[in-house]
Amino acid sequence: MATLLIVEDNDLNRDMLSRRLARRGHSIVLACDGPEGLTKAYTTAPDLILMDMSLPVMDGWEVTRRLKRDPVTAGIPIIALTAHAMAEDKSTALLAGCDEFETKPIDFERLIDTVTRLLERRASGHHAGGNLA
Amino acid sequence: MRLASLAVASGLAGICAAALVGTWVSSSMLRDPGATVPSALLSRAWPGLTALVGLGAAIGAWRTHRRIAGPLHQVSDELRRWLSMAGTGMADRPSDDIDGLARQVHTLHELAESRAADVERLDAALRRTQAEFDARVRERTRELRLEIAERTRAQGQLVAARESAEAASRAKSAFLANMSHELRTPLNAIIGYSQMLMEDAVDTSRTSYDDLHRIEQAGMHLLALINDILDLSKIEAGRLTLQAAPVDAHDLLADVLSTSRPLVERNHNRFVVEGFGTVGRFETDPMRLMQVLLNLLSNAGKFTENGTVTLRAARQTGPGGDQIVFEVTDTGIGMSPDQIDRLFVEFSQADGSTTHRFGGTGLGLAISQRLCHAMDGSIAVTSREGAGTSFTVTVPARLPQQVLALASSTTLDDTSHTSPGATAECG
Ligand SMILES: Nc1ncnc2c1ncn2[C@@H]1O[C@H](COP(=O)(O)OP(=O)(O)O)[C@@H](O)[C@H]1O
Ligand SMILES: [Mg+2]
């Protein structure tokens, strides 16, 4: 199955999300802040990244921008996870290069659908650029 | 002295003069004996000559009179006219003599002088008035300047007040967004963990499954509250998104039914739908209209047992314009007049036990009403305790342009409604 990188600073949410995704057969890599997420994106080459947007040290938007700027990592689909329900969050996330956007509390089944869709799209050779970028 | 007598006198004087001249000539001829025949002839013709000279003098005098007295008369008439115009008593008196003329001229002169004095007085008065006027204008200008300054200041204060109100509203929105963020983060964990445990417990322990279900429901309820509060604050901050789209009544009905059927039928209610076939196409914000209808249908289903919930639609074209009317009628518990009064107020559930028994946030109708108003429509209710309730929603068949213009500055969107909590209050 696929390797998913979860970048999330909240311990409970990181733990809960990683365990639920692991149950669905994915191997999970964890990062607790922006810089760690950036590093692990290079060292573990995940198939997909779930990125919390409000992260300490370097926020999810910045990490996303950097990953999407580098041809090495630009192809990794990124799903933005935010606790906001603001339109500007969504557009900022998509502009930063995120491929999808989910609001917390996460609708888990919908998240699974999105993950599956993005993984399939990637496998079929589509370049995973930002939707709006 | 009369002018006529002047003429007569000058005529007589002429005759006398002629006689004198004749006498002088003839006597000088008599004194001169050497005078020639013509002198004798002259002395013989003397009386006739005298008469001729006298006649000439009389004619001359008459013509002189005509030349002098005529214009003098004209002058006198003119003077009289002026004097009468000036309103002096002199105008009536004849002024055929030179004295009269002199008097008239004198009077006129006095009159002219007094008029000149009058003019000077008037001039002075005018100058005074002018000065007063100028002073008043200056005073008024000063007053107006003060007034303008005062108004500008008042306007400045208004603008400042509005800006601070807007800032407060922005701060409130930001606060709510942040609060919603803070609340959602732990909620995410609560709902996520309970769902995960439910996946485990479904086969092992019935009671722990039920308990977990309660935790999940409480989480969902909390989420519904957060979403509703966020919605309400969006509306109150004037940041409600309205997105007009063409709507086909059939499609709308299909969407409404797919979500509301389980909510309506849960208490063994019959769900009846009427009239959608006659409505056709119209333009509104379908998401917002759905939100209102779903809330009404969810309420109807929630407060009705073994009854009927009817959703009716109709198009009304009349003096009120082209309108779509939706009616949600149930045969449920109904409401007391007291309850109806508080219905559209935030957090106004019938009583404290409602949340416990039926769930819900008590915000659904407050939001529905604001949404209807935002769409330039209305919502009304009729209800009788124990006999059922009927809500009527009327929306224009086209969203007015100004409603959309107002909404275009919006920055909040509907993501809160796509989360699992959208139907949580009904679970
Ligand atoms: N169809 C209905 N029949 C009886 N009571 C109703 C009906 N609809 C609304 N109410 C009353 O109005 C209250 C407020 O409704 P609402 O604003 O939708 O909040 P909520 O549904 O979240 O409680 C309800 O709690 C209920 O007491
Ligand atoms: Mg309700």
Side-chain angles (χ1 to χ4, degrees):
Chain A
M1 269 262 138
T3 304
L4 311 182
L5 168 61
I6 299 175
V7 191
E8 162 73 81
D9 63 319
N10 182 279
D11 293 343
L12 287 180
N13 280 317
R14 194 175 56 244
D15 175 67
M16 184 270 293
L17 197 58
S18 62
R19 281 167 59 193
R20 290 190 87 180
L21 286 167
R23 284 177 174 205
R24 301 294 174 111
H26 297 293
S27 59
I28 307 296
V29 179
L30 297 174
C32 304
D33 59 36
E36 192 186 350
L38 200 58
T39 309
K40 293 213 166 147
Y42 283 98
T43 56
T44 65
D47 298 301
L48 185 143
I49 301 172
L50 292 151
M51 181 94 65
D52 182 24
M53 285 292 128
S54 42
L55 291 169
V57 191
M58 183 195 291
D59 69 26
W61 289 299
E62 186 51 35
V63 179
T64 302
R65 263 192 294 276
R66 292 192 185 197
L67 290 175
K68 289 295 179 183
R69 218 185 293 136
D70 188 342
V72 177
T73 49
I76 309 172
I78 299 177
I79 301 176
L81 307 177
T82 91
H84 292 277
M86 311 287 282
E88 49 252 50
D89 291 339
K90 185 171 181 172
S91 48
T92 320
L94 295 179
L95 278 173
C98 293
D99 299 84
E100 282 296 341
F101 177 93
E102 291 290 335
T103 311
K104 294 178 193 172
I106 301 296
D107 180 341
F108 190 72
E109 294 311 322
R110 203 175 71 182
L111 179 66
I112 288 293
D113 286 350
T114 307
V115 167
T116 310
R117 186 163 43 79
L118 288 178
L119 287 175
E120 276 168 5
R121 193 173 77 181
R122 199 180 179 210
S124 70
H126 282 283
H127 178 74
N131 274 356
L132 295 180
Chain B
M1 201 200 293
R2 284 177 185 272
L3 289 172
S5 49
L6 191 79
V8 173
S10 50
L12 284 175
I15 292 168
C16 291
L20 275 173
V21 169
T23 310
W24 179 73
V25 169
S26 53
S27 62
S28 65
M29 274 194 308
L30 288 176
R31 266 185 270 122
D32 182 5
T36 50
V37 181
S39 333
L41 210 125
L42 198 111
S43 69
R44 237 182 295 133
W46 171 241
L49 230 125
T50 303
L52 229 120
V53 170
L55 189 72
I59 288 171
W62 174 242
R63 288 181 58 174
T64 309
H65 165 75
R66 284 273 306 257
R67 274 221 305 278
I68 294 171
L72 271 176
H73 266 301
Q74 277 175 14
V75 168
S76 168
D77 285 348
E78 195 64 16
L79 281 172
R80 247 214 314 265
R81 207 167 58 77
W82 287 355
L83 287 166
S84 103
M85 269 181 357
T88 61
M90 303 226 19
D92 314 326
R93 266 182 279 153
S95 53
D96 266 4
D97 52 47
I98 296 286
D99 289 346
L101 221 58
R103 271 200 310 279
Q104 281 178 341
V105 168
H106 180 70
T107 310
L108 215 57
H109 175 72
E110 279 180 341
L111 214 63
E113 274 190 341
S114 96
R115 284 294 145 91
D118 284 351
V119 166
E120 227 159 78
R121 263 202 312 282
L122 276 175
D123 203 40
L126 200 67
R127 269 197 300 272
R128 262 202 317 280
T129 313
Q130 179 77 46
E132 269 169 33
F133 179 72
D134 285 350
R136 225 178 285 168
V137 165
R138 271 196 304 277
E139 170 68 8
R140 187 74 192 116
T141 308
R142 208 173 55 82
E143 278 173 18
L144 280 176
R145 270 208 202 102
L146 283 177
E147 230 172 277
I148 289 171
E150 174 60 30
R151 272 191 208 173
T152 311
R153 219 191 46 202
Q155 210 159 14
Q157 281 173 345
L158 269 181
V159 168
R162 201 189 56 208
E163 273 167 8
S164 82
E166 279 169 3
S169 154
R170 274 195 300 275
K172 184 177 142 189
S173 292
F175 167 77
L176 280 159
N178 285 336
M179 193 189 74
S180 123
H181 170 92
E182 298 305 325
L183 293 173
R184 278 159 195 267
T185 301
L187 210 50
N188 192 41
I190 293 172
I191 295 173
Y193 275 116
S194 48
Q195 285 175 346
M196 191 162 62
L197 284 171
M198 277 156 67
E199 286 166 16
D200 294 341
V202 71
D203 306 315
T204 52
S205 154
R206 185 71 227 171
T207 43
S208 55
Y209 178 86
D210 289 346
D211 290 346
L212 286 168
H213 183 66
R214 287 180 194 109
I215 296 174
E216 192 209 13
Q217 286 311 298
M220 292 293 200
H221 181 209
L222 195 52
L223 177 60
L225 260 172
I226 293 167
N227 285 338
D228 279 359
I229 290 172
L230 201 64
D231 241 2
L232 205 63
S233 77
K234 270 191 254 178
I235 296 168
E236 305 225 305
R239 301 173 79 186
L240 170 70
T241 320
L242 280 188
Q243 272 155 355
V247 178
D248 184 272
H250 281 113
D251 299 342
L252 177 77
L253 177 64
D255 287 346
V256 170
L257 284 184
S258 73
T259 315
S260 64
R261 196 177 281 286
L263 310 179
V264 170
E265 293 178 347
R266 61 183 150 179
N267 290 331
H268 313 287
N269 294 317
R270 216 159 61 87
F271 193 0
V272 178
V273 175
E274 288 172 5
F276 276 79
T278 66
V279 172
R281 298 181 69 77
F282 58 103
E283 184 205 277
T284 191
D285 183 330
M287 288 305 292
R288 296 313 192 167
L289 181 59
M290 283 262 286
Q291 195 180 344
V292 173
L293 294 178
L294 288 179
N295 182 49
L296 296 182
L297 288 167
S298 130
N299 282 348
K302 200 157 62 171
F303 298 106
T304 309
E305 250 175 70
N306 301 311
T308 305
V309 174
T310 310
L311 171 62
R312 221 174 266 120
R315 194 172 192 129
Q316 276 184 0
T317 34
D322 191 6
Q323 293 179 319
I324 316 295
V325 183
F326 298 95
E327 210 177 87
V328 176
T329 307
D330 65 57
T331 57
I333 62 173
M335 285 175 276
S336 67
D338 243 30
Q339 258 176 281
I340 293 174
D341 282 346
R342 288 180 283 119
L343 203 55
F344 296 107
V345 179
E346 301 89 331
F347 298 108
S348 64
Q349 293 186 326
D351 58 66
S353 69
T354 305
T355 309
H356 186 67
R357 266 199 306 149
F358 299 102
T361 62
L363 286 170
L365 286 174
I367 291 170
S368 297
Q369 189 192 41
R370 284 163 175 75
L371 287 176
C372 285
H373 289 172
M375 291 189 283
D376 206 31
S378 63
I379 184 167
V381 61
T382 55
S383 182
R384 217 147 46 82
E385 227 168 344
T389 304
S390 181
F391 281 95
T392 309
V393 168
T394 309
V395 289
R398 271 188 82 82
L399 275 182
Q401 209 52 47
Q402 74 269 21
V403 167
L404 292 170
L406 252 175
S408 65
S409 59
T410 320
T411 50
L412 290 154
D413 82 345
D414 294 320
T415 34
S416 58
H417 292 282
T418 58
S419 56
T423 57
E425 70 170 275
C426 324

